[in-house]
Amino acid sequence: MKKKILIIGGIVLAIVIAIVAFFIVSDYQQREKLRTEFSEITELVDDGTNIDMDKINKRLEKTVANGNWEVVEKAGKQYLADSLKTITDMAEIFNDERIGTILTASNYETDGPDFVQTKAYISEMKEKLENCKNTYKAFFTEEKIMSYIEDKNLGDNYKNFYRNEIIGEIDDEANDKTVEESVDQVINLLNSAENIINFLSENKSSWRISNNRIVFTANGLADRYNELISEL
């Protein structure tokens, strides 16, 4: 009887070892899948001027892991999707063709001399850019990073993998300044344009548009206008 118990015990132990080994191997495979997946996504994002957002979004929408590792994957991909969305929103503002028409004779003639629509547009664009900049900067904070996984009821091993392997090192100075400075440049341009529009509306009875050019009818205003233009 004792021999039979030992045999049964050996079988049970073998089964337990096999199960443990299965989960260890499976866990390792899940980690490797995610390392490969996010490495490839990073390559797509870092592809210079040839960034294909449709291709990136398709990768961010699908999952390659399962179980708790799928939860980790989704958290990482949502973080990337949201941060990229903020950049896309900024790019749309940068590429808004109306910005380039603010200081044109056509706009002066159409919206002047009070420039109600132009002033509202400039104010709206500056507010949008400030919001985008602040939102983007938040993605480099630990609180924002971990907010995507803190409420998922996962163990520390999953959270550590998400933080260290998927998100990785974040150098706030290196990653944030370029975008922040680009936004500030556009905001400064809008501020300069706003100064010119305010100048024109304050002196609305002293200028007109002739042959697609602005003509001032009071002494000194043309010089001041040119000074404001040179500050752009």
Side-chain angles (χ1 to χ4, degrees):
M1 179 64 71
K2 184 177 180 180
K3 186 175 181 180
K4 289 183 179 179
I5 292 175
L6 290 174
I7 292 173
I8 293 172
I11 294 172
V12 171
L13 180 60
I15 292 173
V16 171
I17 291 173
I19 292 173
V20 172
F22 169 79
F23 280 107
I24 291 175
V25 171
S26 177
D27 193 69
Y28 174 79
Q29 290 174 337
Q30 295 292 313
R31 289 170 179 261
E32 287 304 304
K33 278 184 180 180
L34 292 184
R35 287 190 181 101
T36 300
E37 177 73 0
F38 281 93
S39 175
E40 291 176 356
I41 291 173
T42 298
E43 289 180 4
L44 291 174
V45 173
D46 291 341
D47 195 18
T49 58
N50 298 314
I51 296 177
D52 188 336
M53 287 305 302
D54 288 336
K55 195 171 183 179
I56 292 171
N57 287 331
K58 286 179 180 178
R59 292 295 291 267
L60 293 176
E61 289 167 1
K62 74 169 189 175
T63 55
V64 298
N66 52 56
N68 285 339
W69 290 110
E70 182 179 356
V71 178
V72 174
E73 178 183 6
K74 286 182 176 180
K77 287 185 173 180
Q78 191 61 57
Y79 170 87
L80 289 176
D82 290 348
S83 59
L84 289 172
K85 173 65 167 55
T86 302
I87 295 174
T88 301
D89 289 343
M90 284 189 283
E92 288 179 358
I93 297 174
F94 292 161
N95 294 324
D96 190 332
E97 293 181 356
R98 188 175 174 184
I99 290 179
T101 67
I102 293 174
L103 301 179
T104 61
S106 176
N107 187 55
Y108 292 172
E109 198 164 31
T110 301
D111 196 34
D114 295 313
F115 296 100
V116 174
Q117 294 182 20
T118 302
K119 290 177 181 179
Y121 171 75
I122 292 174
S123 178
E124 179 186 2
M125 289 298 103
K126 290 199 298 181
E127 183 177 0
K128 283 184 176 181
L129 284 169
E130 286 289 355
N131 289 338
C132 284
K133 182 176 70 173
N134 293 332
T135 299
Y136 181 77
K137 287 173 68 175
F139 281 101
F140 294 92
T141 65
E142 197 69 18
E143 181 181 3
K144 182 69 172 180
I145 292 169
M146 296 309 295
S147 68
Y148 285 82
I149 201 168
E150 285 289 8
D151 62 345
K152 305 302 182 184
N153 297 319
L154 297 174
D156 288 342
N157 60 319
Y158 295 104
K159 292 179 182 179
N160 290 336
F161 183 88
Y162 161 84
R163 180 62 186 88
N164 300 323
E165 301 267 358
I166 292 180
I167 306 302
E169 289 292 328
I170 289 185
D171 184 341
D172 186 52
E173 291 298 318
N175 287 282
D176 182 53
K177 287 303 180 182
T178 300
V179 173
E180 183 179 350
E181 288 171 359
S182 297
V183 174
D184 285 340
Q185 285 179 357
V186 178
I187 291 175
N188 288 336
L189 285 173
L190 287 170
N191 284 332
S192 295
E194 188 174 39
N195 290 336
I196 294 169
I197 293 300
N198 287 337
F199 168 78
L200 293 176
S201 64
E202 290 166 3
N203 297 280
K204 58 185 177 181
S205 61
S206 301
W207 61 269
R208 58 187 171 81
I209 299 298
S210 177
N211 295 323
N212 206 35
R213 295 182 61 184
I214 188 169
V215 177
F216 289 93
T217 57
N219 293 332
L221 292 184
D223 291 337
R224 179 54 184 156
Y225 176 79
N226 290 329
E227 287 176 7
L228 290 172
I229 289 292
S230 67
E231 292 175 4
L232 286 170

